[in-house]
Every structure is written in C-alpha cells, then in structure tokens.
Amino acid sequence: MDTLSPTLLWVSVSMLILHFLTAPAESQLQSPSAHIFFPRGFTAAANLTVNGGSQVLSNGVLRLTNASLRALGHAFYSSPVRFKNSSGGSAASFSTAFAFSTVPQYPGLGGHGLAFTISRSSDLPRALPSQYLGLMNASDIGNFSNHIFAAEFDTVKDFEFGDIDDNHIGIDINSLVSNASVTAGYFADNSSTPRVIHLQSGEVIQAWVDYDSLRNQLDVRISESSVKPTRAILSFNVDLSEFFEETMFVGFSASTGLLASYHYIMGWSFSMNGEAKSLDLSSLPSTPGSVKTTHKGLILGVSVSASVMVVFFLAAIALYVIHRIMTADAIEAWELDVGPHRFPYKELKKATQGFREKELLGFGGFGRVYRGTLPNTNTQVAVKRVLSRSKQGLQKFVTEINIIGRLRHRNLVQLLGWCRRRNDLLLVYEFMSNGSLDKYLFDEPKRILRWEERFKIIKGVALVLLYLHEEGDQTVIHRDIKAANVLLDGGFNGKLGDFGLAKLYEHGADPSTTRVVGTLGYLAPELTKTGKPTASSDVFSFGALMLEVVCGRRPMEPKAMPEELMLVDWVWEKWVLGSILDVVDPRLGGQFDEAEAILLLKLGLICSNRMPDIRPPMRQLVQYLEGDLVLPDKVLPPEGNYDFKKGCSGSSGCDEGPGYVHSYQASSSYDKATMSSSIANDGDLDLEAGPYSPDSSSSDSR
Ligand SMILES: *[C@@H]1O[C@H](CO)[C@@H](O)[C@H](O)[C@H]1NC(C)=O
Ligand SMILES: *[C@@H]1O[C@H](CO)[C@@H](O)[C@H](O)[C@H]1NC(C)=O
Ligand SMILES: *[C@@H]1O[C@H](CO)[C@@H](O)[C@H](O)[C@H]1NC(C)=O
Ligand SMILES: *[C@@H]1O[C@H](CO)[C@@H](O)[C@H](O)[C@H]1NC(C)=O
Ligand SMILES: *[C@@H]1O[C@H](CO)[C@@H](O)[C@H](O)[C@H]1NC(C)=O
Ligand SMILES: *[C@@H]1O[C@H](CO)[C@@H](O)[C@H](O)[C@H]1NC(C)=O
Ligand SMILES: *[C@@H]1O[C@H](CO)[C@@H](O)[C@H](O)[C@H]1NC(C)=O
C-alpha cells in the first residue's frame, strides 16, 4: 500500500463526492442570455466565440494566450447579452465571477495581462496585443465610440497608460488609461489592510466584477479561494448607461508582448440583475502542468466501477485516519535518506511566527522567504517556502538536498536544513543580514555599494563557482546565477544562494514541454536549444552578473529604451566606440578603479559570448580576477547573442527553441541600428586601436 499516498486518496475521494453533489447544478440553468454558468470549464461546443490565439483545451480550460510573443486572444459568449431596454435607457445591473490563472513564461517574468471585457463586437478586429491587452487600437484610445468596458488584470507596468505597478487591477472605459486601479489583493475578514495577490503566481485566482445600477457602483474583488471577500478591493462610481449599447458581448481578452504568459480561464459565471454564483475552485479543471491533473486521472479510472469505488472509499477513510494519527508532516521513505537536518514543521512555524507577513523578507519566482529565529538555539535563519508544482519534482529535488547540504564554502549561503509538508517545501538557510545584491544595484538602491565592495562580491561569487564546478567530487551547476540570488552578509561579502531550485522548477513542469529554467537575460542562448545546463551556461550568467554589478543595471530591462534593452549589447556598443567607461554605474560618481572596471566589463563581454566554448572556465576567470593572468586586449564580440538576423545564417542550424533567441528575432520595435551594430562587428577587436570601423561584411563568424 505504500505506493499510494493517503492524502492523495483522500483528496480524490472528496472530489468524487463533490462531483456527485454538485452535478445537478447544470440542469438548473436559466435563460442563456441572462445567465451564463460554466462551473467546471468549457465544453468543446463551448458557446464561446474565440479568436486570436484563444483555444478551449480538451480538459475544458480556456487558454486565451500561450507563450507566443505579441499575441492576443479573445473569447466571448456567442450570444449577445441585453444590457438596456432602449437606446436611451439605463443599463441593468450585472455580476460575474471567473477563475483564472496566469503562468509566466519564465518564473516571475511574463506579460501582459487579461481583462474581463464587455464590448460591442465579439472579435475586436482592430485590437493590438502587448499593452493594448487585445482591447483596442492605439488610435482608438479614449474614443467614445469604442463602447468597451474592461476590468484588467495587468502584470506589466506601462508608462504610456500611467499604470501604477506591474501587478494591478484596473477599470477601463473606452481607454487603457484606467479610470481606477489598485494593486491586486483582497481584504481578509475585518482587516483594513489588503493582502497582495500575485497575479503571475500561476495559482488559481477567482475574480468578481459587480455593477449595481441603482447605486451606480462597480466593485471588483479577487481571492485565491472560493469565498467572495466581503469588501471590494476596487470600487468605482460610474453610470455605465452611456457607454453601453442595448446588447453587448461579454467575455475575455488577453495579450502577450515582449514577454509572454499563458492566460487561462477555468470557469465562469455571469448574471444580469442578480449576483453571479461564485465558483468552487476545487471542481475546476486544472491548467496544463499543475498538480491537480493526477487527481483527475485517478477519478476517471475509479469511476469505472461503483463497487470499486465503495471499497476504495472505505479504504481511503481507514488510511486517512491512520495517516492523521501517524503524522502531520507525512515523512516518506525517500526522505529519510537525506543528509542535512530535517526540521519538524512545528519548529519552523514557531520560528517564523506562523509565516507571518511581518517576517516576510521577500519573494521570488520560487517562493517566499521569511525571517525566523529557531526556538531552541535562538539562531536567526531565513526560511524559504518553495512553491512546487508536482510531487515528483519535489522528490527529485529533496534527494539533491543531500548533495547541496554537504557543500561548504564561505561564499555559499549555507543550507541548514529543510522540511516537507504535503507539496510545501521549506528550506532553512543561514540568515544574511544585508539581503540580496539586486536591492543595492537597481531602481532605487538601498545604499550605493562602493567599488571595492562590488569587486569583492564578484570575486566571492567567482570563487564559489570555481568550487562548485571544479573542486567538489562532482560538478555542481547552479543554474540561476543572478543578482537576486547573491546575498550579502553583515560585512557585504557576497554569498551565492538558492541552490538547485531552478532544477526543482524544471522537474515540476509539464513533461511534454521542454521548459528552460532560469531568468531571462541570464540564460545562455544554447540553453533554449539544448535545455541542458552546463558549467559554461553558469559562466554566461556570471558574465551578465559582472556587467550588472559594474553598470548598476539589469541585463535585460523591459522598461528601458529599445536601444538599451539588452545590457550586453549596449556595453558592446560602447566598447566598439572606445568609450567603455561610459557604462559604469553613474551612482558611483566616478569613484572607481578604472583598470578593474575595464577588466570586469571585458570579462563580462567574453562570458556573454554566444559560443559556449569561447567562454573561459571559472578557474581561468578567477586567475584574471586575482591578477594572476593578464587578459588579452582583444575581445571577441558577443556576436549575435540574440540572433537578430532574419532567418538563419549559421551553419549550426536554427532549430527554434522555446526560448527568447527566437523571441527577439520577432521583436519589431527593437532598434534597427543596435541590431546591425551587434551583427556587423565580426572578428577581433582591439580597444587600444581606437574607434573601430565596422566591417561591412556581416558574414557569420562561426
Ligand atoms: C450552450 O449551448 C447549448 C446549446 O446551444 C445550450 O443548451 C446550453 O444551455 C448553453 N450553455 C450555456 C452555459 O450557455
Ligand atoms: C501558440 O499557439 C499557436 C497556435 O495556436 C502556435 O502556432 C504557436 O507555436 C504556439 N506558441 C507557443 C510558444 O507555444
Ligand atoms: C427590460 O424590461 C424588463 C421588463 O420591464 C425588465 O424585466 C428587464 O430587467 C429590463 N432589462 C433591462 C436590461 O433593463
Ligand atoms: C489600427 O488598426 C488598423 C486596422 O487594423 C491598422 O491598420 C492601424 O495600423 C492601427 N493603428 C495603429 C495606430 O496601430
Ligand atoms: C472615433 O472612432 C470613430 C469610428 O472608428 C471615428 O470615426 C472617429 O473619427 C474617432 N474619433 C476620434 C476623435 O478619433
Ligand atoms: C475614464 O477615463 C477616461 C480617460 O482618462 C476619461 O475620458 C473618462 O471620462 C473617464 N470616465 C469616467 C466615467 O470617469
Ligand atoms: C469580524 O467582525 C465582526 C463584528 O465586528 C465579528 O462578528 C466577526 O466574527 C469578525 N470576523 C472575523 C473573521 O474576525
């Protein structure tokens, strides 16, 4: 019996029961023009009119967009809905609830958003993707004859439309400049401060939009549960009568831009003149790659025979009871082999005061980090609560904790222990009092790091990478080197953290899609083709890290001017022009060691080379940094890192991986001048020789 997890059985059985209990609801449907109810996904003959990239998947999930860039998708209820009885009449009240999920292409990086939409047409033929959310055309913004109402769930901050942040809800009337907006979140019972919900978390979120025509009030709520919050997160006083025609189409729109997300709708209810039924999140179909699919498979298999079900049910109850008695933490055989200290869940809960928001140190693509104090020893620790997508992923990762826990280096954030509870993984690390490096480099830094501090941090990271790659029993690849994963101790020494988590995420992903894990801008180009991380792909990310530490800028700045989008291209351009020191972080106020800055920038460019073989190994990089080896003056161009050439010029073929190499080819707004300069400069370059005159031939250097 030990291959069946009791929890899983229990969940399946409860879902089965729920399934039977809720089944009659469908036959209670009222007039389709006034009531729309899809409590468990959409059927194939889905009564929906879809266009753009939208598609109803076989399990009933409506996918508005996939990860294609600059794409849009619409799905409207096929029959129009009557909102007014006469053209001069007043609009009736309406109410809707729907469940959605936004899964970014890369952890934490996606775009643009989705919107519940009421529109005069069901196809919006002129609409544009990206910041236009598939709702309108640039020339239509604010035009009264659009007749578009939208409640947007936007994950990109567009300066053009005055967006407040990159995780907001907005109410849009005939325009994309929201008439009201708020950071996505909800008010828990009786609480006056909202709790933030991350729209891009990939979790299922339920949203409610209610319009009361008597009070002229529009309310929006969201929650991660089936229960409608009492207080709305966003309210706006408006009489919609003048914006609506007599009949309108209701549905959804979503778009992607330079970055993409999968936008899914899993269930929907809509009512005129009455409150829409909330959705029961536990009975929704699951999005591709999420954990719930296992349960569903189990249900299908089991419902074949009723008698099997009864036996199964009794067995499940028995198992569940035993399971509850035995332990709440569910230790499984494979967990007992693991080396580092396994903490009891209770202890960690106590240490973090029940994972209180107040103890939250930060969050990233892989989960939230809390500050904690271990009850027995009074040691300060950081507890990372990892969001995992599947049990297999977790198991593979936990077996690796064995390796990770044994690594010891003074520039490595020490993993002290871990704990698993259901699909929650808690990792306990030594506490780093100054937080992560990115907070000192970008936007409004907490403090400006002095040059010596920056150089010391880079050296520290280089040393630990050398240790990981070459000095242990086996090569360990970090896979996600970036400023956010470099943590600073009290003396501003850099330590590398977040080990192997990228791998966990990868194992957890849908096996049918090869998912490249890492962070955009730090990912080596070959990874999008081979999907196989190597020491050399770590070196690539380290190169990006060096450049950002010197320049105080992210390797890829989606919000930057197009010509500055890619840090490496910008640095290369300045190098070519012989003005390399222009890129050094202006916040340093000129207080830096020029020779060291040039060294880091040159190394950054070398490590950013498109060809993995050209990137030096860590041992050599450490020798350069220590001054034991002198870097040659010549630097090969990083050369077509992002492969801007239309079509394929290389003999190596251009099998288009799922990643961004392809993406940026498609990017039309990218400044042409930058592209040509990064392509045209073939061959070696000598800085001392002064300004470089571009070689007119753009033949492939490979
Ligand atoms: C979908 O269409 C079918 C047939 O036209 C109809 O019976 C059903 O009620 C519709 N469902 C919804 C939710 O409108
Ligand atoms: C998205 O879907 C379209 C067709 O629906 C397909 O052509 C495209 O390759 C898909 N893109 C990705 C990134 O999966
Ligand atoms: C239209 O009029 C009917 C009958 O008076 C009423 O029941 C219905 O709610 C009205 N519809 C709208 C959209 O105002
Ligand atoms: C608006 O849509 C039309 C028709 O699709 C298109 O030709 C035009 O370029 C769009 N305008 C803008 C500003 O994008
Ligand atoms: C608004 O749109 C209508 C129809 O597309 C067009 O005729 C009109 O000129 C537009 N008005 C403005 C101010 O752009
Ligand atoms: C909504 O905002 C647009 C653009 O800012 C403005 O023209 C319009 O009057 C506003 N509508 C309402 C009802 O406030
Ligand atoms: C909220 O406050 C009301 C009255 O003040 C109280 O009855 C209710 O129990 C509170 N709810 C919660 C969840 O604290």
Side-chain angles (χ1 to χ4, degrees), residues 52-55 63 65-69 71 105 260 262 513 657-658 662:
S54 292
Q55 199 181 345
R63 189 182 69 196
T65 68
N66 61 8
S68 282
L69 303 170
Q105 186 184 12
Y262 296 85
T513 60
H662 171 59

Side-chain angles (χ1 to χ4, degrees), residues 615-645:
R615 297 172 211 147
M618 282 319 299
R619 181 165 300 280
Q620 206 174 325
L621 284 171
V622 167
Q623 286 171 328
Y624 288 136
L625 288 170
E626 299 281 5
D628 297 343
L629 256 184
V630 179
L631 195 58
D633 290 334
K634 291 188 175 187
V635 174
L636 284 174
E639 200 334 89
N641 248 319
Y642 304 102
D643 209 355
F644 292 115
K645 276 170 253 195

Side-chain angles (χ1 to χ4, degrees), residues 94 112 344 397 469 655:
F94 65 86
H112 263 260
F397 178 71
H469 288 176
D655 39 321

Side-chain angles (χ1 to χ4, degrees), residues 29-307:
L29 280 179
Q30 289 134 18
S31 155
S33 65
H35 294 272
I36 301 172
F37 193 40
F38 295 105
R40 276 183 292 279
F42 303 84
T43 47
N47 326 39
L48 291 181
T49 305
V50 299
N51 73 3
S54 292
Q55 199 181 345
V56 175
L57 306 180
S58 57
N59 67 347
V61 170
L62 167 62
R63 189 182 69 196
L64 291 168
T65 68
N66 61 8
S68 282
L69 303 170
R70 292 171 192 282
L72 56 77
H74 298 131
F76 285 93
Y77 189 62
S78 308
S79 344
V81 173
R82 177 162 294 276
F83 280 85
K84 299 201 289 195
N85 272 337
S86 64
S87 62
S90 60
S93 299
F94 65 86
S95 164
T96 190
F98 58 94
F100 70 95
S101 155
T102 301
V103 182
Q105 186 184 12
Y106 300 100
L109 272 175
H112 263 260
L114 64 86
F116 167 71
T117 309
I118 302 180
S119 150
R120 178 162 63 161
S121 86
S122 62
D123 58 353
L124 298 167
R126 283 161 56 85
L128 298 171
S130 303
Q131 68 269 39
Y132 303 98
L133 297 176
L135 292 171
M136 50 193 94
N137 190 298
S139 54
D140 295 342
I141 303 293
N143 191 327
F144 197 77
S145 51
N146 290 339
H147 296 284
I148 285 189
F149 163 85
E152 62 168 47
F153 299 83
D154 194 343
T155 58
V156 175
K157 179 175 180 174
D158 295 303
F159 293 109
E160 188 180 348
F161 301 135
D163 283 353
I164 52 165
D165 61 18
D166 58 0
N167 185 52
H168 63 272
I169 306 175
I171 291 169
D172 301 345
I173 300 171
N174 288 337
S175 172
L176 284 155
V177 179
S178 300
N179 288 83
S181 63
V182 70
T183 298
Y186 69 101
F187 290 100
D189 273 343
N190 296 351
S191 158
S192 57
T193 43
R195 287 198 192 152
V196 172
I197 290 184
H198 292 277
L199 298 173
Q200 286 197 66
S201 66
E203 300 293 317
V204 179
I205 297 170
Q206 181 158 204
W208 294 263
V209 179
D210 298 277
Y211 173 62
D212 182 336
S213 65
L214 292 177
R215 295 189 297 136
N216 286 338
Q217 180 158 322
L218 191 75
D219 287 330
V220 185
R221 294 170 171 84
I222 58 170
S223 151
E224 279 167 321
S225 80
S226 310
V227 182
K228 188 172 180 174
T230 328
R231 182 167 159 201
I233 187 76
L234 180 60
S235 293
F236 181 56
N237 272 88
V238 59
D239 181 358
L240 289 175
S241 309
E242 53 177 320
F243 305 108
F244 284 177
E245 299 198 317
E246 285 157 63
T247 62
M248 303 280 283
F249 287 91
V250 291
F252 303 93
S253 175
S255 72
T256 65
L258 204 56
L259 295 168
S261 297
Y262 296 85
H263 293 100
Y264 299 106
I265 308 280
M266 281 81 68
W268 180 26
S269 86
F270 178 91
S271 267
M272 292 302 297
N273 288 316
E275 190 173 352
K277 255 197 179 114
S278 293
L279 301 164
D280 175 4
L281 300 192
S282 63
S283 55
L284 298 171
S286 44
T287 55
S290 75
V291 198
K292 269 169 141 196
T293 26
T294 3
H295 303 160
K296 202 163 176 202
L298 208 49
I299 291 172
L300 286 179
V302 165
S303 54
V304 169
S305 145
S307 56

